[in-house]
């Protein structure tokens, strides 16, 4: 079945630093890929998505590119802010319509 | 509606009691999903509905868990004879159709004492 592996946290960065959170997946076929974010005390929100190979999803300065050859969907941001502190989840769809989530990566941005 | 809503937001119960968790999906969304998030862990899929039918119940942790959906709208997740290991945040999501982007509710935080 499908699976998602993301880098372990917590990740601590200074404001304006470059962010990469690695995500790799296994899947049957080429499912849509997602990054969700969970801010402290809030629910899970869709951050960005990509539906086919080589697609780039982007939102709020974050980007991720669907790489079929490396089965990866790494999340990047050029300059993080304190307000980006949250837990980030990578996910893909399996054939049964279930979202398969990674374990989550906690990001803490210090001023 | 504006988004997925869930109630209650918090529930504290005693071991052995039954609990019901409610989810109101976004209006017009035909697919509805339940997940569980234990402290410090990722999200665990429980069950999904396409319309009022649940084609795959294999994600439910035990026969103490059941779920139903009526009117292609509200869904209820019931946990009977709760155990301490049931303590978690229970998240509901809905999507326009199967395979479309899922939108999550704020969750119900369940604590079993």
């Amino acid at each position: 079945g499908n699976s998602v592996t993301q880098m372990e946290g917590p990740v601590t960065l200074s404001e304006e630093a470059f962010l990469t959170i690695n995500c790799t997946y296994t899947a049957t076929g080429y499912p849509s890929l997602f990054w969700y974010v969970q801010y402290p005390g809030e629910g899970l929100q869709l951050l960005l998505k990509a539906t086919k190979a080589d697609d780039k999803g982007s939102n709020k300065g974050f980007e991720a590119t669907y790489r079929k050859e490396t089965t990866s969907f790494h999340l990047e941001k050029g300059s993080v802010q304190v307000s980006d502190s949250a837990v980030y989840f990578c996910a893909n769809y399996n054939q049964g319509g279930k979202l398969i989530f990674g374990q989550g990566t906690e990001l803490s941005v210090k001023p | 509606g504006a988004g997925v809503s869930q109630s209650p937001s918090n529930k504290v119960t005693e071991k052995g009691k039954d609990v019901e968790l409610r989810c109101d999906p976004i209006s017009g969304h035909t697919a509805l999903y339940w997940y569980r998030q234990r402290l410090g862990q990722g999200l665990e899929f429980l069950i999904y509905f396409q319309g009022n039918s649940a084609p795959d119940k294999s994600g439910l942790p035990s026969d103490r868990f059941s779920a139903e959906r009526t009117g292609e709208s509200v869904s209820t997740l019931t946990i009977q004879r709760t155990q301490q290991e049931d303590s978690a945040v229970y998240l509901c999501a809905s999507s326009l159709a199967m395979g479309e982007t899922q939108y999550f509710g704020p969750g119900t935080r369940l604590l079993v004492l």
Side-chain angles (χ1 to χ4, degrees):
Chain A
N2 291 21
S3 67
V4 175
T5 303
Q6 52 181 114
M7 65 186 286
E8 291 187 17
V11 174
T12 302
L13 296 173
S14 297
E15 207 164 22
E16 298 184 4
F18 184 86
L19 168 72
T20 300
I21 300 178
N22 291 338
C23 171
T24 57
Y25 66 90
T26 61
T28 302
Y30 304 106
S32 296
L33 302 175
F34 305 83
W35 276 100
Y36 282 84
V37 58
Q38 190 170 33
Y39 296 103
E42 298 185 18
L44 210 59
Q45 301 176 26
L46 177 67
L47 179 60
L48 54 84
K49 67 177 183 179
T51 58
K52 60 183 187 296
D54 299 325
D55 264 4
K56 177 185 286 188
S58 61
N59 185 26
K60 298 182 180 180
F62 290 88
E63 292 184 340
T65 301
Y66 192 139
R67 301 285 188 198
K68 182 178 64 176
E69 60 278 6
T70 54
T71 61
S72 64
F73 193 53
H74 303 324
L75 183 69
E76 296 182 336
K77 185 173 185 181
S79 176
V80 293
Q81 306 300 312
V82 173
S83 58
D84 294 326
S85 297
V87 181
Y88 292 82
F89 293 92
C90 185
N92 72 13
Y93 258 119
N94 79 350
Q95 291 177 315
K98 311 169 191 177
L99 267 180
I100 306 299
F101 285 88
Q103 287 296 99
T105 301
E106 182 180 358
L107 170 67
S108 177
V109 181
K110 306 297 185 186
Chain B
V4 178
S5 60
Q6 293 184 245
S7 62
S9 53
N10 290 281
K11 177 71 176 178
V12 181
T13 190
E14 293 179 349
K15 178 181 171 181
K17 301 281 190 183
D18 298 352
V19 296
E20 281 191 356
L21 312 180
R22 176 186 168 110
C23 172
D24 283 86
I26 294 172
S27 178
H29 280 196
T30 63
L32 184 148
Y33 315 78
W34 284 98
Y35 296 85
R36 178 168 72 174
Q37 186 177 24
R38 288 173 166 165
L39 188 64
Q41 298 187 23
L43 279 83
E44 174 188 5
F45 171 81
L46 298 179
I47 191 171
Y48 78 90
F49 290 88
Q50 177 57 51
N52 293 332
S53 299
D56 181 4
K57 300 181 181 180
S58 62
L60 295 175
S62 75
D63 59 8
R64 296 185 295 104
F65 286 71
S66 63
E68 64 175 17
R69 187 181 185 194
T70 57
E72 296 197 0
S73 179
V74 173
S75 176
T76 303
L77 177 69
T78 301
I79 310 173
Q80 295 178 310
R81 305 181 302 282
T82 52
Q83 302 294 313
Q84 289 181 332
E85 68 257 26
D86 299 334
S87 297
V89 177
Y90 288 82
L91 292 166
C92 176
S94 70
S95 63
L96 201 57
M98 286 298 297
E100 298 290 326
T101 300
Q102 294 184 23
Y103 297 90
F104 283 79
T108 293
R109 189 175 300 276
L110 175 66
L111 178 61
V112 182
L113 300 176

